[in-house]
Amino acid sequence: MKLLKLTGFIFFLFFLTESLTLPTQPRDIENFNSTQKFIEDNIEYITIIAFAQYVQEATFEEMEKLVKDMVEYKDRCMADKTLPECSKLPKSDVGFLPPFPTLDPEEKCQAYESNRESLLNHFLYEVARRNPFVFAPTLLTVAVHFEEVAKSCCEEQNKVNCLQTRAIPVTQYLKAFSSYQKHVCGALLKFGTKVVHFIYIAILSQKFPKIEFKELISLVEDVSSNYDGCCEGDVVQCIRDTSKVMNHICSKQDSISSKIKECCEKKIPERGQCIINSNKDDRPKDLSLREGKFTDSENVCQERDADPDTFFAKFTFEYSRRHPDLSIPELLRIVQIYKDLLRNCCNTENPPGCYRYAEDKFNETTEKSLKMVQQECKHFQNLGKDGLKYHYLIRLTKIAPQLSTEELVSLGEKMVTAFTTCCTLSEEFACVDNLADLVFGELCGVNENRTINPAVDHCCKTNFAFRRPCFESLKADKTYVPPPFSQDLFTFHADMCQSQNEELQRKTDRFLVNLVKLKHELTDEELQSLFTNFANVVDKCCKAESPEVCFNEESPKIGN
């Protein structure tokens, strides 16, 4: 195993041996000490996360040996940090890993009762190596929830049902945070810190509408600094910076939010999870419905020119806190539209007469985005969950056929989850737009050098705010060369009939994606017809007296 793959962990060892800059204020010292104690108390878990995320191929036994091997490596890098092997490296893909190992519930409970520490270590190891971009505080929270589930369910008579039921929200929590953190890290790497700043100005302005602008910017700077460390995979720095953000919020509850008092009484890492999941604060009663200084003032262009970053940050703050019903992508689109409008208006003879109609432009783009979501939700109601999934599997494969089959199936499932989750909610628009944006963010990937095809790359890298509308306008990739025809794709056997529902669904989804890759030139209707042929053959043969004979006769007809 290459020593270079361990370099990320060296920074963890530096943390243990290098002197730290201690705070001077009493409250800061208390917060620093509590974070330090949390790190020390959980040092084994943190070590596992660091190794499992950076050296995903390592077995649990190999990982124990690697800890010892790192001591010599650490000493060398401590002596000379400029050595090439002591620099940070991007993390690996996880496509080579097998499915998450599962234990029989009885075995799992026996393992928990006989050696709790070993079971939790193995669990964290398996989760961390499969989620190399999930931040360490999130993984530690997942471990806490996993132990709660194990402890509770192992006392139940029906352990299987209990574990299956109670594991669902833990898995959903992990998937949601994994998707979001990869999304923001991708934005940071592709577009820089400024985009992360504006994302969080919008998020925090909606969540804490009574916060003062100066306080907001201070908090946003802490959040951005947090992402710098977390997205680089600096495990300990990520924990410390996350704790710093939460300490900042909790130390100024009166001026930030009335909804987080109980959260701030919790310990690390539950405190952070609680704050993130807390409800948006009530809108201040004296907050007007619109802020006129950005459209009615005679001096808008002069204020913009004096300090563009602060000017547009204030606009984002004021507009976001007044529109808690809008999605974050939509708020960023409006900011971009306002920037473009002023770029044009401030070069005219009468700027105020030009930008006076900015609100009409904002409403116009919001109405357009709203109609798109309404059409998609209507599509979902007409097609149903499976029909909508097949629609997106065809669409995503046509625009990005270079992606692996498994990745396209995963993206299709996540897109459908957005609609099944959101289309019955009162906040339908913001919910769909936020979640769909995450799916396209995952398609674009975290790595700034990722390339798929010219059209997709253009949407991924040109404008973060308008990424989703860009994808919606894409057609089938004309640069794609389909693989040679293979009859194997249309050859099925009796084991199709023995598959469990979930396994059969995965095989069906993979078949559809591979079908689109092979017959990329066909229309959606023609592809749907071939897919219907496949479904009919499976249904017919699984009811036949001899399924294998039936599949041998009928399978070749599917591709015709």
Side-chain angles (χ1 to χ4, degrees):
M1 196 163 296
K2 293 182 180 179
L3 193 61
L4 284 178
K5 298 202 75 174
L6 306 178
T7 55
F9 188 65
I10 196 71
F11 293 90
F12 165 67
L13 293 176
F14 286 168
F15 170 81
L16 295 179
T17 52
E18 284 189 316
S19 59
L20 298 171
T21 303
L22 297 176
T24 56
Q25 297 300 315
R27 180 184 291 276
D28 293 336
I29 292 174
E30 180 184 348
N31 291 332
F32 176 87
N33 289 338
S34 65
T35 304
Q36 188 73 7
K37 184 176 186 303
F38 171 79
I39 291 172
E40 291 170 0
D41 290 345
N42 292 274
I43 205 72
E44 188 170 0
Y45 294 148
I46 295 169
T47 305
I48 290 169
I49 289 171
F51 263 131
Q53 288 190 321
Y54 271 95
V55 198
Q56 297 147 312
E57 301 96 327
T59 64
F60 188 72
E61 291 72 24
E62 288 175 321
M63 191 169 62
E64 292 179 316
K65 182 178 181 300
L66 287 172
V67 175
K68 297 177 183 178
D69 293 341
M70 281 303 298
V71 174
E72 181 183 342
Y73 182 42
K74 178 264 296 184
D75 290 341
R76 186 164 70 253
C77 287
M78 284 291 293
D80 185 2
K81 299 178 190 176
T82 63
L83 292 173
E85 64 264 32
C86 298
S87 62
K88 296 183 184 180
L89 293 176
K91 294 173 189 178
S92 305
D93 178 49
V94 294
F96 63 88
L97 291 174
F100 193 91
T102 56
L103 287 175
D104 174 80
E106 292 293 342
E107 291 179 23
K108 188 178 291 184
C109 288
Q110 287 175 11
Y112 178 73
E113 291 166 5
S114 62
N115 195 334
R116 163 191 170 273
E117 198 67 25
S118 178
L119 178 70
L120 292 177
N121 286 349
H122 271 88
F123 170 79
L124 199 51
Y125 158 73
E126 294 290 0
V127 172
R129 68 198 292 244
R130 284 169 174 77
N131 295 276
F133 295 101
V134 176
F135 299 166
T138 302
L139 292 172
L140 291 170
T141 300
V142 168
V144 169
H145 290 325
F146 171 76
E147 181 172 18
E148 290 172 352
V149 170
K151 187 176 182 179
S152 174
C153 290
C154 287
E155 297 174 355
E156 296 287 329
Q157 188 170 359
N158 191 342
K159 295 179 177 61
V160 176
N161 184 60
C162 180
L163 286 168
Q164 287 178 343
T165 303
R166 294 198 55 187
I168 291 173
V170 180
T171 303
Q172 290 174 336
Y173 170 83
L174 176 61
K175 286 181 178 179
F177 274 78
S178 172
S179 180
Y180 181 74
Q181 287 163 359
K182 283 194 288 186
H183 182 69
V184 180
C185 286
L188 175 64
L189 292 172
K190 287 183 173 70
F191 298 95
T193 304
K194 188 175 288 188
V195 165
V196 177
H197 264 72
F198 277 90
I199 289 172
Y200 271 91
I201 290 172
I203 290 173
L204 296 174
S205 299
Q206 281 192 331
K207 193 172 186 67
F208 307 135
K210 72 177 184 181
I211 193 172
E212 294 293 331
F213 177 72
K214 185 177 179 181
E215 186 65 54
L216 171 75
I217 295 302
S218 174
L219 182 56
V220 166
E221 287 172 354
D222 281 352
V223 171
S224 293
S225 175
N226 180 33
Y227 272 96
D228 286 340
C230 292
C231 293
E232 287 179 351
D234 192 335
V235 175
V236 174
Q237 193 61 41
C238 182
I239 293 172
R240 293 177 64 203
D241 286 344
T242 301
S243 180
K244 180 181 177 182
V245 170
M246 300 310 163
N247 289 337
H248 185 153
I249 293 171
C250 289
S251 68
K252 300 187 176 181
Q253 293 179 56
D254 292 342
S255 61
I256 291 179
S257 175
S258 61
K259 305 280 186 180
I260 56 174
K261 186 176 185 299
E262 292 184 3
C263 294
C264 290
E265 293 171 354
K266 295 181 182 292
K267 295 181 179 180
I268 302 171
E270 289 91 343
R271 179 183 57 169
Q273 178 194 3
C274 182
I275 291 173
I276 290 169
N277 292 333
S278 64
N279 293 327
K280 294 174 182 175
D281 206 355
D282 300 325
R283 177 174 165 166
K285 293 181 179 178
D286 60 348
L287 188 65
S288 60
L289 293 177
R290 62 183 292 270
E291 176 53 82
K293 67 181 180 182
F294 295 103
T295 55
D296 302 342
S297 169
E298 297 287 319
N299 303 315
V300 167
C301 296
Q302 292 90 324
E303 291 178 23
R304 180 204 64 169
D305 294 341
D307 187 349
D309 287 347
T310 300
F311 176 82
F312 287 115
K314 285 182 178 179
F315 171 77
T316 308
F317 163 65
E318 295 292 1
Y319 201 89
S320 299
R321 67 203 288 245
R322 286 171 168 80
H323 294 86
D325 55 316
L326 295 184
S327 66
I328 300 305
E330 184 62 21
L331 289 169
L332 297 181
R333 287 175 210 134
I334 286 170
V335 173
Q336 186 62 53
I337 285 170
Y338 186 52
K339 286 182 179 181
D340 294 342
L341 180 70
L342 290 188
R343 189 179 297 115
N344 175 53
C345 291
C346 292
N347 288 320
T348 64
E349 292 183 1
N350 181 19
C354 177
Y355 57 67
R356 186 173 295 127
Y357 302 100
E359 287 284 349
D360 293 339
K361 294 282 187 184
F362 304 156
N363 294 336
E364 183 181 313
T365 189
T366 298
E367 190 63 31
K368 184 177 180 180
S369 299
L370 178 61
K371 282 183 178 178
M372 184 169 68
V373 169
Q374 289 172 336
Q375 288 173 353
E376 289 169 326
C377 282
K378 187 176 180 180
H379 210 42
F380 163 59
Q381 292 165 357
N382 292 335
L383 294 177
K385 183 177 178 180
D386 286 343
L388 188 69
K389 180 170 65 173
Y390 300 146
H391 165 78
Y392 273 103
L393 288 177
I394 292 173
R395 172 154 178 68
L396 289 168
T397 306
K398 280 202 163 190
I399 66 173
Q402 294 84 359
L403 297 180
S404 70
T405 298
E406 291 302 323
E407 189 169 2
L408 287 163
V409 168
S410 175
L411 290 170
E413 289 174 345
K414 289 174 181 177
M415 187 63 83
V416 171
T417 297
F419 296 110
T420 56
T421 302
C422 303
C423 284
T424 57
L425 300 178
S426 57
E427 62 271 23
E428 173 184 277
F429 167 57
C431 182
V432 169
D433 204 34
N434 283 329
L435 292 186
D437 195 57
L438 293 185
V439 177
F440 288 118
E442 189 157 333
L443 190 159
C444 291
V446 176
N447 194 325
E448 60 183 319
N449 297 320
R450 172 166 166 135
T451 181
I452 299 169
N453 63 54
V456 169
D457 293 347
H458 172 79
C459 289
C460 287
K461 298 175 182 178
T462 302
N463 189 304
F464 182 80
F466 283 89
R467 198 153 57 175
R468 186 173 172 226
C470 181
F471 274 113
E472 293 296 338
S473 66
L474 290 187
K475 306 296 182 184
D477 178 29
K478 293 182 179 179
T479 67
Y480 176 68
V481 179
F485 178 83
S486 172
Q487 187 58 47
D488 290 345
L489 176 61
F490 300 100
T491 302
F492 304 98
H493 301 283
D495 61 353
M496 287 288 290
C497 308
Q498 297 161 1
S499 302
Q500 298 294 325
N501 286 342
E502 187 174 335
E503 184 186 357
L504 178 60
Q505 190 62 61
R506 295 289 291 184
K507 288 181 178 179
T508 301
D509 294 346
R510 285 196 292 268
F511 169 76
L512 179 56
V513 169
N514 288 327
L515 176 66
V516 178
K517 286 188 174 192
L518 183 65
K519 295 183 175 289
H520 198 249
E521 77 287 353
L522 297 185
T523 65
D524 290 3
E525 292 73 19
E526 290 170 327
L527 288 166
Q528 189 67 50
S529 176
L530 285 177
F531 182 64
T532 302
N533 291 345
F534 158 76
N536 291 338
V537 166
V538 172
D539 183 61
K540 175 183 178 180
C541 291
C542 286
K543 293 176 181 177
E545 187 174 338
S546 176
E548 188 67 27
V549 172
C550 178
F551 275 120
N552 288 338
E553 293 175 353
E554 298 293 331
S555 292
K557 301 176 185 177
I558 295 175
N560 297 329

